[in-house]
Amino acid sequence: MLMVRNLYKRFNLEAGFFAREERYVYAVNGVSFTVGDQEIYGLVGESGCGKTTTARTIVQMYTPDVGSIHFTEQSGKTYNVHSLGRSELAELRGKIKYVFQDPARSLNPRMTILEILTAGYRYSPYWPGPKQALEEAKAVMVDVGLQASDLDRRPADFSGGQRQRISIARALMVKPELLICDEVVSALDVSIQGQILNLLLRLKDEYKLSMLFIAHDLAVVSYISDRIGVMYRGLMMEEAQARELTARPLHPYTRHLYAAIPQITVQDEAVRTATRRFREVPDPTRPPVNIDESIFERSPRPAEERTSAGGTVAASDMLEVAPGHLVSPHFADPV
Ligand SMILES: Nc1ncnc2c1ncn2[C@@H]1O[C@H](COP(=O)(O)OP(=O)(O)OP(=O)(O)O)[C@@H](O)[C@H]1O
Ligand SMILES: [Mg+2]
């Protein structure tokens, strides 16, 4: 349903007038993955590894420097996300919805819940008129575990968990096919996290949703996801079915993330030594691997051309060690 291929995104740091050369933050450095129809794909990695940048590029908040993003809706129609006409753009905006981390800041405190739920919907090609929209808003409220009578209230009347339900309800109003959940439970306490995760699992079935579920917490991602991609410094380190990854994490960075889950302590000295390198905070202005800078000079290009660009190892070239289980050679030990 979603196909991200060889995505690169770097940010130009405001260089001073006397600065001799431009400086960049290398946020995403050749990321590829797919999300299947009604699949939950978990993207996990530490703060600053490029998860939000990847997600924002998918919803066109950023233009990719290199790479392509394709979305195929359930009817079979395919969109090349970054080259769309105006009407297709409006259509696509209804198909992919983004739920943000901080419900307090993403909900306008002056609006009623009904106004919040219908604000974006009103200007979409799917707007059915105020009467029908009210009925839909009532139904969606019940679907996310709130009450239809809550529609007259304002965000301040709700707890953090309830506000996150409102954010999810807003996303569901246009009946999207892909939901991008970016750290949606990170601001909530653990017991509420579980409720929201279970809600998302139920809504996935009821609304036939695909999900890109982003979090820095591997325990949360392992719980909800069908398949998981592990990111580090803008690169994909490992990808596998959630169960396979939990049972057999192969890349040292993945093992490092598992070791950070409080209940799991890694006794193995070899694992501890191998993962020590991930304890330092990396400098994002230093590319994690050798990047052929000439790829940024041309406009976004398809992935096929990438390896011919230079002698460097393509960042997304992972090794398939078992069916569907991919491991990066970067930051790993010789096999
Ligand atoms: N608009 C921007 N301008 C400049 N640098 C940016 C911008 N957005 C992100 N960055 C930088 O790009 C890198 C990746 O950031 P990103 O927000 O994608 O990480 P993340 O994985 O979502 O982290 P977190 O878990 O903290 O949300 C970071 O070094 C960040 O400082
Ligand atoms: Mg983020």
Side-chain angles (χ1 to χ4, degrees):
M1 180 156 244
L2 181 72
M3 188 161 81
V4 175
R5 276 156 94 193
N6 198 39
L7 188 70
Y8 283 78
K9 183 70 193 172
R10 63 178 187 181
F11 297 103
N12 201 338
L13 291 176
E14 295 289 325
F17 184 74
F18 295 105
R20 279 193 317 198
E21 52 189 76
E22 306 218 313
R23 287 182 67 226
Y24 296 96
V25 165
Y26 293 85
V28 179
N29 304 306
V31 160
S32 303
F33 62 94
T34 60
V35 183
D37 188 13
Q38 295 171 61
E39 179 181 48
I40 303 185
Y41 186 91
L43 201 54
V44 67
E46 69 197 18
S47 184
C49 72
K51 306 180 297 291
T52 298
T53 305
T54 302
R56 286 187 173 165
T57 310
I58 294 167
V59 294
Q60 298 154 311
M61 287 163 77
Y62 298 141
T63 311
D65 292 328
V66 181
S68 65
I69 296 164
H70 288 86
F71 174 77
T72 305
E73 60 177 37
Q74 279 158 1
S75 74
K77 181 174 175 184
T78 294
Y79 302 79
N80 179 347
V81 172
H82 287 273
S83 62
L84 293 175
R86 202 175 266 202
S87 67
E88 279 189 313
L89 200 70
E91 268 176 45
L92 188 68
R93 292 245 154 98
K95 300 286 177 189
I96 305 180
K97 284 286 157 198
Y98 200 115
V99 183
F100 298 90
Q101 167 168 4
D102 188 349
R105 264 194 285 172
S106 67
L107 302 176
N108 185 334
R110 284 185 292 273
M111 288 163 82
T112 65
I113 305 309
L114 178 64
E115 285 166 345
I116 287 170
L117 294 196
T118 54
Y121 195 17
R122 197 175 287 274
Y123 304 102
S124 79
Y126 308 98
W127 178 244
K131 241 181 164 171
Q132 177 67 22
L134 174 63
E135 290 312 309
E136 287 176 14
K138 285 179 180 170
V140 168
M141 286 295 273
V142 173
D143 284 345
V144 300
L146 295 169
Q147 283 165 19
S149 59
D150 289 335
L151 283 170
D152 296 332
R153 300 166 71 192
R154 286 169 215 274
D157 300 339
F158 297 89
S159 69
Q162 288 171 327
R163 282 191 208 131
Q164 201 52 283
R165 288 172 194 266
I166 294 166
S167 303
I168 294 166
R170 173 174 58 184
L172 292 177
M173 281 298 287
V174 290
K175 308 284 179 290
E177 294 183 7
L178 175 70
L179 212 55
I180 300 181
C181 299
D182 192 355
E183 304 277 10
V184 290
V185 298
S186 308
L188 306 173
D189 68 57
V190 175
S191 60
I192 308 293
Q193 283 188 354
Q195 293 173 12
I196 298 291
L197 295 177
N198 289 335
L199 171 69
L200 287 171
L201 284 169
R202 177 165 63 74
L203 292 171
K204 188 206 103 165
D205 290 339
E206 282 172 22
Y207 284 77
K208 303 213 178 318
L209 293 166
S210 306
M211 268 186 233
L212 176 59
F213 187 92
I214 296 171
H216 62 270
D217 184 339
L218 187 52
V220 164
V221 171
S222 305
Y223 178 74
I224 195 167
S225 306
D226 298 309
R227 219 148 46 89
I228 297 175
V230 179
M231 260 180 99
Y232 176 66
R233 299 185 66 180
L235 301 165
M236 204 65 99
M237 292 288 112
E238 187 163 0
E239 183 189 88
Q241 294 286 335
R243 216 173 284 164
E244 161 82 4
L245 195 75
T246 311
R248 214 157 66 106
L250 292 177
H251 195 281
Y253 182 70
T254 314
R255 293 178 172 178
H256 166 78
L257 286 185
Y258 274 110
I261 300 176
Q263 297 89 325
I264 301 173
T265 39
V266 179
Q267 302 295 345
D268 191 342
E269 179 57 32
V271 170
R272 261 185 281 159
T273 313
T275 62
R276 198 161 286 153
R277 76 196 76 158
F278 301 110
R279 257 172 247 165
E280 275 156 43
V281 179
D283 173 3
T285 63
R286 216 161 40 85
V289 291
N290 227 346
I291 292 175
D292 172 10
E293 301 277 332
S294 72
I295 59 170
F296 294 109
E297 278 150 33
R298 280 147 277 172
S299 51
R301 299 175 303 149
E304 290 76 30
E305 296 175 45
R306 138 200 74 162
T307 30
S308 59
T312 54
V313 178
S316 53
D317 283 355
M318 295 198 282
L319 311 168
E320 187 162 29
V321 296
H325 192 157
L326 309 176
V327 184
S328 166
H330 301 296
F331 302 101
D333 305 307
V335 177

